[in-house]
Amino acid sequence: LIVLLLSGFLCGEKLRRYWSYQAICNIYLIISLVICFIFTYEIEGIEVVFDLRKVPFIIGGLYMGIGPFLATFIVFVRGLLGIDYGFWMTVLYYGGLAILFWRIASWFLKRSPMQRILFTGCVTFLFSFAQTFTMGIWHLPHSSAEVLFAYLVIQPIGALIISYIIEEIIMTIQLRQRTMKSKRIEAVERMGAAISHEIRNPLTAAIGFVQLLQSDAISKENHN
């Protein structure tokens, strides 16, 4: 997911004349979810499939405000695997969080970068913690520690890292925009100085001629 994020940013820099950052981010999130569904793993003796789908879902829901769209995609793909207990839990969790993220997305973006990073990590941890109870992971025998580590450590850390990288990318984009704006202002100032200089010269000459004509007129009146 991290490699895909950096690759998407580099491609976005080359394609930003033709594609908006919104479109590039949406494509990144969809591809990330597909990769999460493809690269899953299952612990021996447990009929539970683990993946990282909640990481791009939380990132997209908070940063882009497209939680309902991502939740619909996740539910659709999960439905292709079968309509069972896991499917309905997916509808419950991702549907509820999608509505919540959609409502708080504007509030989230007004926070400071550090607050956004910490909030993303905390939401991922709480989401994972709630899933462990629903799936009965706490009652598993020998492999419960491995499952808890996958849910309560790996996924929140992944969300924190991706959120941090996104904040760095946002800061880089804003810095570049400020630099370009300052360069534009500097160019306008130089152009204004050059134009005023070119206008000032003929005006000075015109004023000189007027003064000369006035002095000639005054001297003729004195002679008369």
Side-chain angles (χ1 to χ4, degrees), residues 61-121:
L62 292 176
Y63 280 93
M64 305 302 298
I66 57 174
F69 171 72
L70 297 177
T72 302
F73 179 80
I74 292 174
V75 171
F76 172 76
V77 176
R78 180 60 182 83
L80 297 178
L81 303 177
I83 308 298
D84 51 12
Y85 175 77
F87 170 80
W88 294 113
M89 295 310 301
T90 299
V91 173
L92 176 63
Y93 276 116
Y94 286 92
L97 284 178
I99 297 174
L100 175 63
F101 292 161
W102 179 68
R103 295 295 300 270
I104 68 172
S106 59
W107 170 86
F108 173 80
L109 295 176
K110 295 178 182 179
R111 305 301 100 189
S112 65
M114 184 57 63
Q115 289 176 339
R116 289 196 292 262
I117 294 173
L118 294 177
F119 185 82
T120 301

